[in-house]
Amino acid sequence: EAGVTQSPTHLIKTRGQQATLRCSPISGHTSVYWYQQALGLGLQFLLWYDEGEERNRGNFPPRFSGRQFPNYSSELNVNALELEDSALYLCATQQGFLAKNIQYFGAGTRLSVL
Amino acid sequence: GESVGLHLPTLSVQEGDNSIINCAYSNSASDYFIWYKQESGKGPQFIIDIRSNMDKRQGQRVTVLLNKTVKHLSLQIAATQPGDSAVYFCAENSLTGGGNKLTFGTGTQLKVEL
């Protein structure tokens, strides 16, 4: 069974540009979570999508947005990139959204803002 | 507010010894806790979880202990191997605040010395 896949693996942008990151869930998983992992720091919750709807978001500005498609894959968009947006962006998917269900992570997209 | 923290940023152990990684949390209403392992260049990998109504849970070479009285969580790895070298995160799963998200600690780097 294929795991969570994220693309691209690496992304280099300049300040002010927009970045689009993609995530494909494990088959049967309907919930998608996005996390930001800055260098040397823990994971910070960004967004949660379930059944195509945004269910919750973390303490990030509105220029971080996303969507979930009918096939449950998801995109994370970051507008007006800033240097401090450089980080590893991780997607996790879950079968439903009950607390007992485990979130499985992809390998992440390394975003570098120059 | 909610927080999940780790006592030690780096833990060095000899191969074959047991490792103990500690974690403190502050949200007494958490539903359950998860330990993840993150190797360099990879996304976090699920190790083991424990529900808030349990004190102990065992897996293959790993044991998680939960002390709700002092809000403390630990991960014990038996007979530590070089392949155990990674960053270990504890995470709290909370359904409060209208969402289902993981709150991560900053991580503990486990180094296994030969």
Side-chain angles (χ1 to χ4, degrees):
Chain A
E1 178 183 303
V4 178
T5 57
Q6 292 187 244
S7 63
T9 305
H10 294 89
L11 190 57
I12 300 175
K13 295 286 186 179
T14 57
R15 194 170 50 185
Q17 287 188 314
Q18 179 197 39
T20 298
L21 290 65
R22 297 178 177 81
C23 173
S24 292
I26 293 172
S27 178
H29 287 196
T30 61
S31 276
V32 175
Y33 302 81
W34 287 95
Y35 294 88
Q36 181 195 66
Q37 186 176 30
L39 189 63
L41 298 178
L43 284 74
Q44 301 296 318
F45 169 72
L46 264 168
L47 290 160
W48 168 37
Y49 292 94
D50 183 73
E51 296 289 352
E53 299 287 332
E54 180 180 305
R55 302 296 184 182
N56 199 5
R57 66 180 294 128
N59 294 324
F60 284 84
R63 58 191 186 83
F64 286 84
S65 65
R67 55 180 173 169
Q68 186 179 32
F69 299 99
N71 66 354
Y72 302 112
S73 66
S74 177
E75 275 185 0
L76 173 68
N77 296 295
V78 188
N79 295 320
L81 284 166
E82 300 179 1
L83 298 179
E84 53 265 34
D85 296 333
S86 295
L88 180 67
Y89 289 84
L90 291 160
C91 167
T93 73
Q94 185 175 15
Q95 186 176 22
F97 57 86
L98 294 176
K100 65 180 180 181
N101 289 327
I102 300 162
Q103 293 185 22
Y104 293 90
F105 285 81
T109 293
R110 174 73 61 186
L111 174 63
S112 298
V113 183
L114 306 178
Chain B
E2 301 174 16
S3 67
V4 179
L6 292 170
H7 294 307
L8 296 173
T10 303
L11 176 65
S12 295
V13 299
Q14 295 290 323
E15 182 181 5
D17 288 350
N18 295 333
S19 302
I20 299 176
I21 301 172
N22 297 302
C23 177
Y25 66 95
S26 60
N27 186 0
S28 57
S30 297
D31 298 288
Y32 86 135
F33 305 86
I34 311 102
W35 282 99
Y36 282 91
K37 170 187 179 183
Q38 187 174 24
E39 297 174 274
S40 181
K42 298 182 180 180
Q45 177 185 6
F46 170 82
I47 301 173
I48 192 168
D49 62 350
I50 187 168
R51 298 295 299 273
S52 57
N53 60 355
M54 300 171 67
D55 298 321
K56 179 180 180 180
R57 191 173 186 203
Q58 288 184 294
Q60 188 176 14
R61 281 201 307 120
V62 296
T63 301
V64 56
L65 299 177
L66 176 62
N67 186 332
K68 295 180 287 293
T69 301
V70 295
K71 298 179 186 175
H72 184 267
L73 190 70
S74 68
L75 176 70
Q76 300 178 3
I77 304 174
T80 311
Q81 302 170 359
D84 295 328
S85 294
V87 176
Y88 290 80
F89 294 96
C90 64
E92 162 201 5
N93 196 326
S94 173
L95 290 177
T96 60
N100 178 14
K101 63 179 183 180
L102 289 175
T103 301
F104 283 83
T106 54
T108 292
Q109 174 77 55
L110 176 63
K111 296 183 178 180
V112 181
E113 300 173 349
L114 303 178

